């Protein structure tokens, strides 16, 4: 029996492999023997998340209205920016105004 381990596995992939894990590309999960699954989960839970750059993880689509952030060739936003909270500037301002 194997158990699928997902989450922030990239920083600890070598350790998971050492536990007998195999990468399942279809599931996008590590398949780990179930007697090692707890160890693997602990590795993933404690893995550093700084590996991917923070800017790449910023939301680019508003979760309120679906507006997608656009940037010009120089990287400046065109129109509404998407804020860290996952909403665009307009939705943020509407919420702040209490509409
Ligand atoms: Zn919006």
């Amino acid at each position: 029996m194997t158990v699928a381990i997902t989450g922030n596995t990239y920083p600890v992939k070598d350790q998971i492999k050492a536990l007998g894990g195999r990468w399942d590309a279809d599931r996008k999960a590590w398949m780990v023997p179930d007697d090692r699954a707890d160890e693997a989960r602990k590795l993933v839970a404690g893995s550093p998340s700084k590996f991917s750059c923070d800017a790449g993880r910023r939301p680019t689509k508003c979760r309120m209205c679906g507006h997608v952030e656009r940037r010009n060739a120089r990287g400046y936003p065109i129109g509404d920016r998407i804020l860290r909270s996952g909403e665009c500037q307009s939705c943020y301002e509407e919420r702040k105004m209490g509409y």
Side-chain angles (χ1 to χ4, degrees):
M1 274 290 284
T2 55
V3 177
I5 302 292
T6 56
N8 188 27
T9 55
Y10 186 78
V12 294
K13 63 182 166 53
D14 291 331
Q15 284 137 287
I16 296 175
K17 215 181 283 177
L19 293 177
R22 278 207 344 248
W23 176 246
D24 186 324
D26 289 335
R27 293 188 201 221
K28 297 203 188 322
W30 281 91
M31 303 309 292
V32 175
D34 53 4
D35 57 333
R36 313 305 291 276
D38 280 345
E39 285 174 72
R41 282 196 198 98
K42 267 182 218 149
L43 285 173
V44 174
S47 74
S49 53
K50 285 194 205 113
F51 274 71
S52 50
C53 132
D54 216 23
R57 281 160 38 128
R58 274 191 53 224
T60 54
K61 189 173 173 186
C62 174
R63 63 185 164 84
M64 308 294 279
C65 70
H67 168 80
V68 176
E69 183 175 80
R70 291 192 306 138
R71 287 175 182 273
N72 67 18
R74 302 184 61 172
Y76 291 107
I78 302 166
D80 278 348
R81 292 189 314 126
I82 308 297
L83 305 175
R84 264 183 184 282
S85 56
E87 57 199 342
C88 68
Q89 189 91 43
S90 303
C91 289
Y92 171 75
E93 264 157 32
E94 278 184 23
R95 193 162 57 85
K96 213 170 52 174
M97 301 287 281
Y99 291 146

